[in-house]
């Protein structure tokens, strides 16, 4: 049964929203937002609405099925997606912390991966001791967030929907009945759902040329649909020096940080790479290495390792208020797909507005270090630079084999050093498994401990001293 719920906001409601939407939703001083004083705005919004004869905001109606009972018996595969809403303190670049709001103790929240046509059963739980209610608006659901409303501390709520469209879809907290949504999302409550096409992904064609004698001709290379996959989620932060959400900075588009998967410069070399390439843990090989040092544990920077001549698939979402000009220095984006439709091939940069996504398929042709950036210079220098290393550009295979770190030469350093867990989405229907995954990401110590206890992930901060000992012996 379709639920048809119209929500009408009257002038009174607009006035209430004006006073509360632009600020924090709760008063705890330790996590208070810095609110904008509507009385100090240049225009009198309420007076303007009066002059227009009033304003009625009609929320979009839900048209998706939300009845879990019906959908669970529909013959479709049901995938449960359980989240908790938690306010926690997390680190930012420079050694300070900020007052984060998270889904399940991590930023971004857990990635949901389903197949087109599956039923998603989303359950949001808010612990008793949480300071505010939260919601969840999943763009894959085709439902209004207003329909779900807000879940209060100590409560659990759920809804079900059919993931009808393939692609990458944002999900985000919808605040307390939309109030404070900006603060909750920009403090960390965002993530993605990947909906794999029901018939799988397409093989990749990369256009090359070849020469025979003096004749140059097209030489199309085809790659199987199976790919090594990564997820990159872009956002901005707006923080006061005390680490609180700064609504004034947000309204002025004056962001204080640009983050990829929650962190500034999270995927750059660390001390192990310094040692391998420069022979010295303290001799940086990249211009910005702010998360170096074993004490950073799950926050220590890591690199993204791929093979040459390997099909790589990137799931990318722009959660932010600013555009993302996605570019990989030294590479061409071989294919750009949005909503299971190819938008471009062999393009240098692709633009994503706020809450837009894409799937980039590419092959790293030559050994090297490639920086994936938001080609907005302000974004690059505030954190949107992510380093991929393809093949063995530093000629490390002989050393690694000689020292016994690896038994034989490898096609990528991932076989020796692993890839960061937060950049790796759950396995899908055309996924190539990563050789190893290291615990990495903007997550609480509790989440990191659970990952370590699972035995599925490597704690790099424990491995690096061992490898360093071997390399220097
Ligand atoms: Cu929230």
């Amino acid at each position: 049964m379709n639920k048809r719920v119209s929500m009408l906001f009257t002038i009174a409601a607009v006035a209430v929203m004006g006073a509360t939407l632009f600020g924090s939703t709760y008063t705890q001083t330790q996590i208070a937002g810095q609110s904008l004083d509507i009385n100090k705005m240049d225009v009198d919004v309420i007076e303007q609405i009066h002059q227009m004869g009033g304003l009625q905001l009609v929320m979009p109606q839900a048209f998706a099925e939300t009845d879990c009972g019906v959908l669970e018996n529909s013959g479709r595969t049901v995938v449960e997606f359980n989240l908790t809403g938690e306010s926690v303190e997390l680190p930012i670049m420079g050694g300070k912390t900020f007052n984060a709001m998270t889904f399940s103790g991590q930023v971004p929240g857990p990635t949901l991966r389903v197949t087109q046509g599956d039923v998603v059963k989303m359950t949001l739980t808010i612990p008793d001791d949480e300071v505010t209610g939260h919601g969840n608006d999943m763009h894959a659901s085709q439902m209004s967030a207003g329909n779900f409303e807000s879940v209060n501390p100590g409560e659990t709520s759920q809804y079900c929907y059919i993931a009808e469209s393939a692609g990458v879809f944002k999900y985000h907290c919808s605040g307390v009945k939309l109030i404070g949504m900006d603060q909750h999302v920009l403090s960390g409550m965002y993530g993605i759902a990947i909906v794999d096409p029901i018939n799988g992904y397409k093989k990749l064609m990369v256009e090359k040329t070849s020469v025979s004698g003096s004749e140059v001709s097209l030489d199309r290379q085809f790659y199987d649909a199976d790919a090594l996959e990564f997820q990159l989620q872009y956002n901005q932060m707006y923080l006061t020096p005390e680490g609180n959400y700064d609504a004034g900075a947000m309204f002025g588009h004056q962001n204080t940080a640009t983050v990829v998967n929650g962190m500034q410069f999270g995927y750059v070399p660390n001390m192990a790479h310094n040692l391998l390439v420069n022979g010295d843990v303290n001799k940086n090989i990249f211009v910005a290495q702010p998360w170096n040092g074993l004490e950073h544990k799950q926050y220590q920077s890591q690199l993204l390792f791929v093979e040459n001549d390997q099909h790589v698939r990137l799931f990318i979402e722009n959660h932010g208020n600013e555009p993302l000009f996605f570019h990989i220095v030294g590479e061409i984006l071989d294919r750009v797909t949005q909503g299971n439709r190819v938008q471009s091939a062999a393009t240098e940069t692709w633009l994503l507005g706020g809450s837009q996504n894409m799937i980039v398929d590419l092959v790293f042709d030559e050994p090297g270090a490639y920086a994936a950036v938001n080609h907005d210079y302000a974004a690059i220098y505030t954190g949107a630079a992510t380093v991929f290393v393809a093949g063995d550009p530093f000629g490390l295979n002989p050393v690694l084999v000689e020292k016994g770190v690896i038994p034989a030469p490898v096609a990528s350093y991932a076989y020796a050093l692993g890839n960061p867990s937060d950049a790796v989405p759950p396995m899908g229907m055309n996924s190539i498994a990563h050789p190893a995954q290291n615990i990495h990401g903007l997550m609480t110590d509790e989440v990191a401990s659970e990952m370590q206890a699972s035995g599925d992930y490597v704690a790099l901060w424990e491995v690096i001293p061992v490898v360093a000992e071997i390399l220097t012996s």
Side-chain angles (χ1 to χ4, degrees), residues 85 101-103 130 132-135 173-176 180-181 184-185 189:
M101 292 185 180
T102 72
F103 283 113
E130 173 58 10
T132 175
H134 298 284
C173 181
S174 45
V176 180
M181 180 167 61
H184 290 224
V185 176
M189 298 190 83

Side-chain angles (χ1 to χ4, degrees), residues 209-281:
T209 57
S210 60
V211 59
S212 172
S214 60
E215 190 167 339
V216 181
S217 56
L218 266 184
D219 182 14
R220 293 191 168 118
Q221 308 283 318
F222 290 90
Y223 294 84
D224 187 81
D226 291 356
L228 190 77
E229 298 171 325
F230 295 90
Q231 54 186 359
L232 297 174
Q233 302 182 48
Y234 290 78
N235 208 350
Q236 295 93 41
M237 297 176 82
Y238 303 87
L239 295 175
T240 66
E242 296 76 36
N244 293 316
Y245 174 65
D246 187 340
M250 188 280 288
F251 276 93
H253 283 257
Q254 301 288 322
N255 62 279
T256 51
T258 305
V259 293
V260 182
N261 291 345
M263 297 173 74
Q264 296 172 276
F265 301 110
Y267 306 109
V268 295
N270 64 39
M271 59 205 302
H273 313 119
N274 290 352
L275 178 64
L276 281 163
V277 179
N278 278 342
D280 184 344
V281 291

Side-chain angles (χ1 to χ4, degrees), residues 450-462:
E450 281 169 26
M451 291 179 74
Q452 195 170 1
S454 76
D456 297 333
Y457 303 91
V458 179
L460 206 57
W461 58 92
E462 292 178 358

Side-chain angles (χ1 to χ4, degrees), residues 390-431:
D392 180 12
F394 304 116
L396 299 178
N397 263 317
V399 178
L400 293 169
V401 172
E402 186 203 330
K403 296 283 187 181
V405 177
I406 45 174
V410 287
S412 96
Y413 299 141
Y415 292 91
L417 301 170
N419 271 322
S421 60
D422 62 334
V424 178
M427 293 284 282
M429 59 202 306
N430 292 112
S431 306

Side-chain angles (χ1 to χ4, degrees), residues 47-292:
E47 182 56 34
Q48 281 200 340
I49 293 168
H50 272 295
Q51 287 171 4
M52 288 191 299
L55 175 68
Q56 286 192 324
L57 293 176
V58 181
M59 292 302 288
Q61 292 177 332
F63 53 86
E65 181 65 68
T66 62
D67 188 323
C68 288
V70 171
L71 287 178
E72 280 179 300
N73 296 306
S74 61
R76 296 172 185 270
T77 301
V78 179
V79 180
E80 293 194 11
F81 190 45
N82 301 314
L83 298 172
T84 54
E86 304 168 40
S87 295
V88 296
E89 212 171 280
L90 289 171
I92 49 174
M93 195 177 85
K96 290 185 176 178
T97 60
F98 77 108
N99 292 306
M101 292 185 180
T102 72
F103 283 113
S104 304
Q106 61 178 83
V107 181
T111 295
L112 170 68
R113 188 151 192 182
V114 298
T115 301
Q116 187 177 17
D118 285 353
V119 167
V120 177
K121 184 179 182 183
M122 196 290 298
T123 304
L124 177 62
T125 301
I126 311 300
D128 287 327
D129 59 353
E130 173 58 10
V131 291
T132 175
H134 298 284
N136 187 7
D137 178 348
M138 300 197 73
H139 291 190
S141 73
Q142 308 187 53
M143 283 192 298
S144 152
N147 208 32
F148 184 57
E149 296 200 326
S150 164
V151 187
N152 297 317
E155 292 178 359
T156 290
S157 193
Q158 68 184 189
Y159 60 77
C160 291
Y161 64 91
I162 301 167
E164 290 284 17
S165 302
V168 181
F169 297 91
K170 172 179 181 159
Y171 71 83
H172 63 93
C173 181
S174 45
V176 180
K177 295 181 183 176
L178 304 182
I179 292 168
M181 180 167 61
D182 58 321
Q183 176 179 9
H184 290 224
V185 176
L186 294 166
S187 298
M189 298 190 83
Y190 57 87
I192 55 170
I194 298 169
V195 183
D196 289 333
I198 195 164
N199 294 322
Y201 291 94
K202 297 179 180 72
K203 64 183 175 184
L204 175 65
M205 188 270 285
V206 179
E207 236 170 54
K208 295 284 185 187
T209 57
S210 60
V211 59
S212 172
S214 60
E215 190 167 339
V216 181
S217 56
L218 266 184
D219 182 14
R220 293 191 168 118
Q221 308 283 318
F222 290 90
Y223 294 84
D224 187 81
D226 291 356
L228 190 77
E229 298 171 325
F230 295 90
Q231 54 186 359
L232 297 174
Q233 302 182 48
Y234 290 78
N235 208 350
Q236 295 93 41
M237 297 176 82
Y238 303 87
L239 295 175
T240 66
E242 296 76 36
N244 293 316
Y245 174 65
D246 187 340
M250 188 280 288
F251 276 93
H253 283 257
Q254 301 288 322
N255 62 279
T256 51
T258 305
V259 293
V260 182
N261 291 345
M263 297 173 74
Q264 296 172 276
F265 301 110
Y267 306 109
V268 295
N270 64 39
M271 59 205 302
H273 313 119
N274 290 352
L275 178 64
L276 281 163
V277 179
N278 278 342
D280 184 344
V281 291
N282 296 313
K283 209 169 168 190
N284 286 355
I285 58 172
F286 188 68
V287 62
Q289 296 185 211
W291 300 96
N292 202 3

